[in-house]
Amino acid sequence: MEHDIPGYYFDREKKKYFKIIPNHIAPQGAQYSRENIKRSKDNEKKRKRETEQARRLKHHIQHSKILKHPLGGAYCLNRETGTQAPAERDIRAKVYTQGLERSTKFHAGVSATIQHFARDEATGGLFYGLCVTPDKDTNGKVTYSEPRAKPITSPTHSEITSINIGPTRTLVSTTLGGDADATITLTKLVEPSQFDGTWLDIGVHTMLHPRDQTIWTSRPSQTDGTIAIGTSTGMLLLKETNSNWTTVNHALKSKTDIFALEFLSSSTIAAGGRDSSIRFYDQRSSGKALRLRHPSSVTGIRQVDEWRIVVCGLRNSMRLYDLRSQPSPIPPPTTTTATTKTSHKATTQPVLEYPYLNDFRLGLGFDVDTETGLVAAASDDRNLQLFSVYSGEEIRLRGKKDRMFEDFARCVRFSQPRGQLHRSKELLVTAGNLLECFSW
């Protein structure tokens, strides 16, 4: 067994100890001089390091040399990491937009206005909310050409503010309120396996009447039966248990109207208010936090991915925010009136800004589709604007006119046609008494 003996060197090949000769008395080229032994030990250590490094490199991914090429490197790296440059991601959005053809889904009658709609992608059924002028309506009958469509009218003759369908096949519609209390109507839809092309729902309705509140919007969770309701006093939550509904009053209390809602996860909800604030609410802890400050009143929120959201508002404001890069807490805005004049110094820094046109009008349609990479938004000049989600560039529709619609587009939605997963999504827009479709 080898031992370190002071003044001696062990030669592994000869398996013997040799006395170390001082440099000043060692003959030239002496094998066991102090200098040669030191050099031999250093070489041994270097060899061990190189051997260990080579062993580790065997377990590493070897990247192609083209990644270091000044021209091909960036493209190949994006391909390997699954990301694309904004210009490349816009190609799909531009191709999709240029292929869209405009058609009319149905006409709701001369005296009617379609305020909101939702399509059940499992059965193809369309549900649309009507506002009918009483003195011009003929016995409340509406004509339409869509064979699987059902009108929804307000029982209190109040404006219908939202229609949505949740994953538990619950249709929720809300009315604004006014002379009568605002209403929340919940309806169970027919299961796809039982759908025979006639009845779209099971015919049983649950109606709730929150008192002394105005209802602006609703948003169902995409994971369970929870439904968030935006009101003039904050946010309500409806929770479904065995087809029974319980109401969580004032889950998020607010001194301002809640115009926009979005579920960011199964437990976290983003709520956008008239005062330009975007607050987060956590259902698990009932925790609340002011997270973002938009330049004006928030009228729409849509999630792009786990960390990014597109926020739509008044004063021509539409922005993409990254939740990972926002500071907290956020200073309160400086307001000069009780409306929407918010100081830009108090707003959150966005990732992107979109050239959106809507100065002051509430209730215009807005939606985001990550599959096509598009933001669709109705503008206050009675047009439809399309933007690239990732670059913010406006993409014009083919043959677009100065004014596309006779009325303001109140609801805009991307929707997959029933049983046609191979086809691109349709873009449905309601304006006045028409529900129009932009599709391939």
Side-chain angles (χ1 to χ4, degrees):
M1 185 175 179
E2 178 184 349
H3 296 282
D4 288 334
I5 301 176
Y8 286 85
Y9 171 73
F10 183 79
D11 191 323
R12 288 186 176 84
E13 293 182 1
K14 297 181 179 180
K15 299 182 179 180
K16 291 174 65 177
Y17 287 93
F18 295 89
K19 188 175 182 180
I20 300 174
I21 305 172
N23 294 332
H24 65 282
I25 63 173
Q28 187 176 2
Q31 185 178 359
Y32 303 111
S33 67
R34 194 178 300 277
E35 183 179 356
N36 284 343
I37 291 173
K38 182 178 181 301
R39 186 184 301 113
S40 176
K41 288 183 177 180
D42 290 343
N43 290 338
E44 180 68 14
K45 290 180 180 178
K46 183 179 178 181
R47 186 188 63 79
K48 287 183 177 180
R49 284 197 303 267
E50 291 175 350
T51 303
E52 179 64 17
Q53 182 69 9
R55 186 188 67 79
R56 291 181 179 180
L57 287 176
K58 288 182 180 180
H59 301 284
H60 288 186
I61 297 173
Q62 297 295 319
H63 293 284
S64 171
K65 292 182 179 179
I66 197 175
L67 295 178
K68 299 179 181 179
H69 193 278
L71 296 179
Y75 173 78
C76 294
L77 183 60
N78 288 335
R79 184 184 64 184
E80 284 200 3
T81 57
T83 60
Q84 293 175 303
E88 296 171 354
R89 288 183 294 202
D90 288 351
I91 292 175
R92 180 178 179 84
K94 290 178 179 178
V95 171
Y96 172 82
T97 302
Q98 294 306 308
L100 293 177
E101 297 286 346
R102 183 176 179 178
S103 61
T104 300
K105 273 288 183 184
F106 58 83
H107 189 291
V110 178
S111 60
T113 300
I114 304 174
Q115 296 173 325
H116 280 271
F117 71 90
R119 177 154 74 176
D120 181 5
E121 295 183 358
T123 63
L126 274 165
F127 298 85
Y128 57 97
L130 287 178
C131 175
V132 182
T133 307
D135 56 347
K136 294 183 180 180
D137 184 34
T138 55
N139 299 323
K141 295 181 179 179
V142 179
T143 60
Y144 50 88
S145 59
E146 172 66 30
R148 289 192 295 272
K150 181 175 181 178
I152 298 172
T153 55
S154 169
T156 59
H157 303 289
S158 176
E159 177 183 347
I160 294 176
T161 53
S162 71
I163 300 176
N164 288 293
I165 298 174
T168 59
R169 302 199 55 72
T170 299
L171 176 76
V172 54
S173 61
T174 60
T175 63
L176 184 68
D179 296 336
D181 288 336
T183 60
I184 303 170
T185 305
L186 304 165
T187 306
K188 279 295 182 181
L189 303 183
V190 172
E191 292 296 328
S193 59
Q194 300 174 354
F195 178 66
D196 59 2
T198 53
W199 300 104
L200 298 175
D201 59 62
I202 62 176
V204 179
H205 309 279
T206 301
M207 295 187 67
L208 306 175
H209 301 275
R211 294 185 176 276
D212 304 321
Q213 296 183 68
T214 300
I215 296 180
W216 294 106
T217 187
S218 67
R219 190 70 174 169
S221 168
Q222 297 306 306
T223 57
D224 55 29
T226 305
I227 299 174
I229 307 291
T231 73
S232 56
T233 59
M235 181 183 70
L236 306 179
L237 282 182
L238 304 180
K239 293 185 175 290
E240 182 183 14
T241 307
N242 298 325
S243 297
N244 294 320
W245 295 91
T246 56
T247 306
V248 180
N249 290 314
H250 299 110
L252 176 65
K253 290 185 179 180
S254 174
K255 296 180 180 179
T256 187
D257 299 281
I258 300 298
F259 287 155
L261 295 166
E262 179 72 339
F263 278 82
L264 304 181
S265 67
S266 59
S267 59
T268 306
I269 307 170
R274 183 191 290 271
D275 65 350
S276 80
S277 65
I278 300 176
R279 292 176 169 84
F280 284 8
Y281 174 79
D282 193 320
Q283 297 184 70
R284 297 166 297 184
S285 63
S286 299
K288 314 166 186 67
L290 174 61
R291 193 66 180 84
L292 303 169
R293 181 73 69 179
H294 199 61
S296 184
S297 297
V298 178
T299 58
I301 304 173
R302 288 294 181 269
Q303 188 175 27
V304 176
D305 53 33
E306 183 181 1
W307 298 109
R308 293 178 294 179
I309 59 174
V310 177
V311 178
C312 180
L314 304 183
R315 289 172 55 189
N316 306 321
S317 62
M318 183 186 291
R319 294 180 165 189
L320 175 69
Y321 294 105
D322 191 321
L323 304 179
R324 294 168 296 186
S325 61
Q326 306 309 328
S328 182
I330 298 168
T334 5
T335 53
T336 54
T337 68
T339 54
T340 59
K341 295 184 179 179
T342 306
S343 168
H344 284 275
K345 294 181 180 179
T347 62
T348 304
Q349 184 69 27
V351 177
L352 276 177
E353 292 194 60
Y354 303 87
Y356 176 53
L357 298 175
N358 180 20
D359 195 20
F360 62 89
R361 187 170 295 277
L362 293 172
L364 298 186
F366 161 71
D367 200 11
V368 172
D369 180 49
T370 55
E371 183 179 323
T372 56
L374 282 173
V375 179
S379 57
D380 60 2
D381 58 355
R382 302 186 183 184
N383 274 316
L384 178 67
Q385 291 183 283
L386 297 177
F387 309 102
S388 165
V389 172
Y390 306 105
S391 70
E393 178 186 352
E394 182 172 4
I395 305 174
R396 291 182 62 85
L397 284 162
R398 182 161 49 90
K400 181 179 177 181
K401 301 178 181 178
D402 292 338
R403 178 178 290 185
M404 296 179 62
F405 309 109
E406 293 300 320
D407 201 348
F408 299 102
R410 299 178 181 274
C411 191
V412 175
R413 286 189 169 172
F414 290 94
S415 179
Q416 186 71 50
R418 178 196 178 213
Q420 301 181 36
L421 297 178
H422 62 283
R423 283 189 56 186
S424 299
K425 287 185 178 181
E426 296 178 341
L427 178 57
L428 302 177
V429 181
T430 177
N433 54 12
L434 297 177
L435 195 151
E436 302 199 48
C437 176
F438 295 84
S439 63
W440 275 58

